[in-house]
Amino acid sequence: MKNIVVVGSQWGDEGKGKIVDWLSEQADVVIRFQGGHNAGHTLVIDGKTYKLRLLPSGIVRKNKISIIGNGVVVDPWALLEEIKEIKDKGIDVNVNNFIISESANLILPFHKEMDEIREDSAGKSKIGTTRRGIGPAYEDKVGRRSIRLMDLRSEINLDQRLDSVLLHHNAIRKGLGKKLFQKEQLKKDLLKIAPDLLKFSQPVWMKIDKFKKQNKKILFEGAQGILLDVDHGTYPFVTSSNTVASNAATGTGCGPDSINYVLGITKAYTTRVGEGPFPTELNDEIGELLGTKGKEFGTVTSRKRRCGWFDGVLVRQTIKVSGINGIALTKLDVLDDLDEIKMCIEYELNGKKIDYLPASVEDQLKIKPIFKSFKGWKKSTNGVKNIDELPQEAKNYIYAIEDFVGAKISSISTSPERDDTILVENPFEI
């Protein structure tokens, strides 16, 4: 048995969807373990594009079981809409191939409103959230006042739970001069969709234990990237959950011994959506070229991504923090037209050289990158499937990344198409 966790080693948007889709063909079970519908995965299969936000990437494949774990926060209406969208494209979603943890916490309309209120009032201090209510929903979870999927089974229980959570939210809304949120219509709306959601509800921890006994291959699918981790990322410009690989166990209900291999998806350059530090950001024509050729727009929000050179210091750090065993390098072909390519190998902070990203956001905003330059290959790598067919300059760059970050590159993606991948080693077969 080999169970794999897939995480993003940068700020998200590394191309996890394609890699997870490729791995899901070999897996029996695919599980989302954190985040919400703020993280999008784009899959391109046989020329057809699927944009997933909550549904695990395995849903597009037959004879696979897809699971939303307890660590995910779920907007019930967004999920039902996504299920409808994917069904309209010919993908079946039923109780045999899709499960939601009964312990999953729900994102409700007042969470989204609170997200918007905070961002609008923050001015220059805004985080750059997707305004989908993810953060406020996680706050209610930790505050022990959240509505969970299981609460929809009983109208009496739901009524009491809504009283509890709205007592908190309406106190804040009143203080901010906002209209108080009314319970009754929300309760009716939730009870109306409850049967559509509860039919997928199961104790996921129990299902995982059963799958392990059956020697099924499990793929744990992370969202966002490690640099957005609430503990280990560029705080406070982070998401509201733990994006590191170890959260795959907590966010699904299994022990860390269930994880056999951690694959870090890593872009051949660096991008970031939203606010926050970005040491290697390029605000010039090269940054524009990377964004245009790489089609760097968010799957969920369509926001333009900030682009910059590959930051080896950051990726080396996230590899250690998340226990990454191997790297899937993506979007190599985006660099094809460049005369020179750079990689950050060190920082300078207050006149001193450092080899890690400091925890203080004040320091993160001050650091200056120190680069190593590589000669560009000026040849197309698009669609290449064998590493020997790559230009020597491209191989030099790849091997330099591998050597610097201290993790083996297990695969190299040379286009958005699923089959345009150079496989060095298969995590399921190690």
Side-chain angles (χ1 to χ4, degrees):
M1 181 185 69
K2 177 73 72 171
N3 299 329
I4 297 171
V5 179
V6 173
V7 291
S9 71
Q10 294 154 307
W11 276 292
D13 311 309
E14 300 94 350
K16 290 185 290 297
K18 169 185 171 175
I19 306 299
V20 169
D21 170 60
W22 176 76
L23 289 169
S24 69
E25 186 176 43
Q26 304 168 68
D28 300 302
V29 183
V30 184
I31 308 178
R32 272 283 307 271
F33 61 86
Q34 51 78 218
H37 64 310
N38 56 337
H41 287 175
T42 301
L43 311 180
V44 182
I45 304 171
D46 297 329
K48 186 177 287 189
T49 300
Y50 303 93
K51 293 189 176 183
L52 306 176
R53 297 172 292 279
L54 272 169
L55 291 171
S57 298
I59 200 71
V60 300
R61 301 208 162 275
K62 292 182 179 180
N63 303 317
K64 310 294 179 183
I65 298 173
S66 294
I67 299 176
I68 291 178
N70 55 275
V72 179
V73 285
V74 178
D75 182 321
W77 293 278
L79 175 59
L80 292 174
E81 177 61 28
E82 189 172 336
I83 291 173
K84 181 180 181 301
E85 288 175 9
I86 206 80
K87 280 187 171 182
D88 289 344
K89 292 191 174 186
I91 303 297
D92 192 22
V93 182
N94 57 61
V95 295
N96 295 315
N97 71 353
F98 179 54
I99 299 170
I100 313 173
S101 170
E102 60 184 0
S103 302
N105 292 260
L106 302 184
I107 300 173
L108 299 176
F110 50 80
H111 291 131
K112 182 179 178 180
E113 291 178 16
M114 185 57 66
D115 211 350
E116 293 172 343
I117 290 168
R118 287 176 177 169
E119 281 290 279
D120 290 339
S121 63
K124 293 182 179 180
S125 299
K126 67 179 181 179
I127 301 298
T129 76
T130 56
R131 296 170 178 255
R132 279 163 167 73
I134 311 297
Y138 271 117
E139 287 179 39
D140 282 347
K141 173 183 177 178
V142 177
R144 295 163 294 187
R145 53 183 173 265
S146 184
I147 308 297
R148 299 197 287 177
L149 182 57
M150 65 180 73
D151 293 324
L152 302 187
R153 293 175 184 154
S154 162
E155 181 176 352
I156 294 174
N157 179 61
L158 178 61
D159 191 81
Q160 293 172 343
R161 299 300 301 151
L162 284 171
D163 281 339
S164 175
V165 71
L166 287 177
L167 178 66
H168 171 82
H169 277 269
N170 278 335
I172 297 174
R173 293 169 74 100
K174 184 177 180 180
L176 293 171
K178 303 295 180 180
K179 185 179 178 181
L180 299 187
F181 199 94
Q182 300 302 311
K183 178 184 73 173
E184 290 305 317
Q185 187 58 52
L186 175 58
K187 186 174 75 170
K188 290 179 183 178
D189 292 341
L190 285 170
L191 290 172
K192 182 179 179 180
I193 62 172
D196 297 326
L197 295 166
L198 290 172
K199 66 182 180 181
F200 299 116
S201 174
Q202 292 193 46
V204 165
W205 66 269
M206 189 181 296
K207 297 296 294 185
I208 293 177
D209 185 60
K210 180 180 178 181
F211 295 146
K212 288 168 64 179
K213 291 175 181 176
Q214 294 172 339
N215 287 324
K216 291 188 180 296
K217 294 178 181 177
I218 302 174
L219 183 62
F220 297 91
E221 178 183 0
Q224 290 108 6
I226 296 165
L227 291 169
L228 292 176
D229 185 278
V230 70
D231 287 305
H232 302 288
T234 48
Y235 189 91
F237 300 97
V238 293
T239 193
S240 300
S241 61
N242 287 111
T243 59
V244 291
S246 54
N247 195 35
T250 307
T252 58
C254 62
D257 63 334
S258 299
I259 299 170
N260 307 113
Y261 188 97
V262 180
L263 181 65
I265 315 303
T266 307
K267 199 175 286 185
Y269 49 101
T270 310
T271 62
R272 174 164 202 171
V273 173
E275 309 300 320
F278 188 169
T280 64
E281 184 172 11
L282 293 169
N283 295 304
D284 57 15
E285 65 277 7
I286 295 178
E288 285 294 320
L289 183 149
L290 294 175
T292 301
K293 188 170 182 181
K295 297 179 180 178
E296 297 296 351
F297 296 91
T299 299
V300 172
T301 62
S302 296
R303 288 186 297 176
K304 184 177 179 180
R305 296 173 185 144
R306 301 154 63 189
C307 298
W309 294 121
F310 183 83
D311 194 328
V313 178
L314 284 183
V315 174
R316 183 175 60 187
Q317 188 164 325
T318 60
I319 284 172
K320 296 180 186 299
V321 166
S322 202
I324 291 172
N325 301 108
I327 282 176
L329 191 67
T330 64
K331 293 200 171 184
L332 181 71
D333 57 305
V334 175
L335 305 177
D336 285 350
D337 299 329
L338 297 174
D339 295 310
E340 181 184 44
I341 297 165
K342 296 182 179 182
M343 177 174 73
C344 177
I345 58 170
E346 207 169 18
Y347 297 140
E348 181 182 305
L349 176 63
N350 299 326
K352 295 181 180 180
K353 291 183 178 180
I354 59 172
D355 59 359
Y356 68 98
L357 182 73
S360 164
V361 68
E362 183 181 17
D363 289 339
Q364 292 171 2
L365 291 168
K366 286 180 183 177
I367 56 177
K368 298 177 181 179
I370 298 172
F371 292 108
K372 180 178 181 179
S373 295
F374 298 84
K375 183 181 179 181
W377 41 94
K378 302 289 288 183
K379 296 177 183 176
S380 175
T381 62
N382 187 275
V384 173
K385 297 180 178 65
N386 190 311
I387 196 166
D388 293 331
E389 296 175 9
L390 289 175
Q392 186 59 48
E393 293 85 357
K395 288 190 280 188
N396 292 343
Y397 180 62
I398 291 166
Y399 295 142
I401 290 175
E402 184 178 64
D403 182 62
F404 186 83
V405 302
K408 185 170 184 177
I409 292 178
S410 64
S411 63
I412 304 161
S413 175
T414 55
S415 96
E417 289 293 335
R418 179 180 172 274
D419 294 330
D420 290 343
T421 302
I422 299 169
L423 180 63
V424 180
E425 63 179 21
N426 187 338
F428 273 123
E429 297 177 355
I430 296 172

